[in-house]
Amino acid sequence: MKRLRMSVIVLVSLLGIALSGCQPNPGQLPTESPAPAASAAAGTPSSSEFGAVIQAAVEDRNGTVLDTPPAPRLPDGQTTPAYRAKHVRDLPVVARSKAGFKSHGFWYTSFSTTVTVESVHVDGPAASVHFKEMTALYQASAAHGPSDVPESYSLPQTATFKAAAQGWQLDSITPSIHNGGLPMSVVDDCCP
């Protein structure tokens, strides 16, 4: 019996030694992986989700050229403070252009815009989205009234987004073409 007890003790000791390599050191707590970055916490939107935000932003921007601008569609929570500050800086520039257009007897009455996302590049907490805007602007004139023939344009642009705790926020929209007869609603800060 004493021999059996000794064999059990040796067996338990050997088993304990073998299993000790599989257990964390009792003096150390297991380390946790670092908290996920904002981009991981927010998840990465699909190109159609990015596109929906861009569509609303471009429609808000284009609405500023109308004689009676509509209410904005894009909530402030989906844009960064830098985006909102640029929008505020752009409004007086668009208002001057609109006043000059109206002084010649013309004004815009409506528009239709389609945004097509061409590519999305995500780099950690930042994303850039290349897209094309197709817009038709309808105008009226003091001499002839409303026109059924729109003024149309196609403009390649890049939107940048930043990941934040509440999700991805639109940070900027810039044209890919500079100083080349841009639409009235686009105020290009790139070049003097």
Side-chain angles (χ1 to χ4, degrees), residues 39 51 65 84-85 112 149 158 187:
S39 62
V65 303
R84 292 189 298 275
S112 65
V149 181
T158 301
V187 179

Side-chain angles (χ1 to χ4, degrees), residues 8-9 16 24-25 33 38 46 55 59 63-64 67 84-85 90 98 103-104 107 127-128 138 149 164 168 175:
V8 170
I9 291 173
N25 183 343
S33 57
S46 67
Q55 177 81 32
E59 287 181 358
T64 63
D67 202 35
R84 292 189 298 275
D90 291 352
K98 188 165 64 170
S103 72
H104 288 92
W107 61 93
S128 62
Y138 293 87
V149 181
W168 288 83

Side-chain angles (χ1 to χ4, degrees), residues 20-174:
S20 69
C22 299
Q23 301 298 319
N25 183 343
Q28 295 178 328
L29 295 174
T31 58
E32 294 182 16
S33 57
S39 62
T44 302
S46 67
S47 62
S48 62
E49 291 169 316
F50 278 131
V53 172
I54 294 167
Q55 177 81 32
V58 169
E59 287 181 358
D60 286 350
R61 183 192 71 201
N62 288 343
T64 63
V65 303
L66 299 182
D67 202 35
T68 306
R73 295 183 51 224
L74 191 63
D76 283 351
Q78 289 188 303
T79 59
T80 64
Y83 180 87
R84 292 189 298 275
K86 179 174 181 344
H87 179 69
V88 168
R89 285 191 315 272
D90 291 352
L91 288 176
V93 176
V94 173
R96 281 191 301 274
S97 297
K98 188 165 64 170
F101 194 52
K102 197 160 190 180
S103 72
H104 288 92
F106 297 94
W107 61 93
Y108 291 115
T109 58
S110 65
F111 68 90
S112 65
T113 296
T114 302
V115 166
T116 304
V117 172
E118 296 179 331
S119 68
V120 176
H121 177 73
V122 178
D123 186 12
S128 62
V129 180
H130 298 281
F131 69 96
K132 186 171 282 187
E133 170 195 351
M134 302 273 297
T135 293
L137 289 160
Y138 293 87
Q139 62 183 345
S141 71
H144 302 290
S147 172
D148 292 336
V149 181
E151 173 186 319
S152 299
Y153 65 86
S154 174
L155 183 64
Q157 297 165 79
T158 301
T160 59
F161 288 81
K162 289 186 177 178
Q166 62 272 31
W168 288 83
Q169 294 181 319
L170 180 61
D171 191 48
S172 69
I173 294 179
T174 55

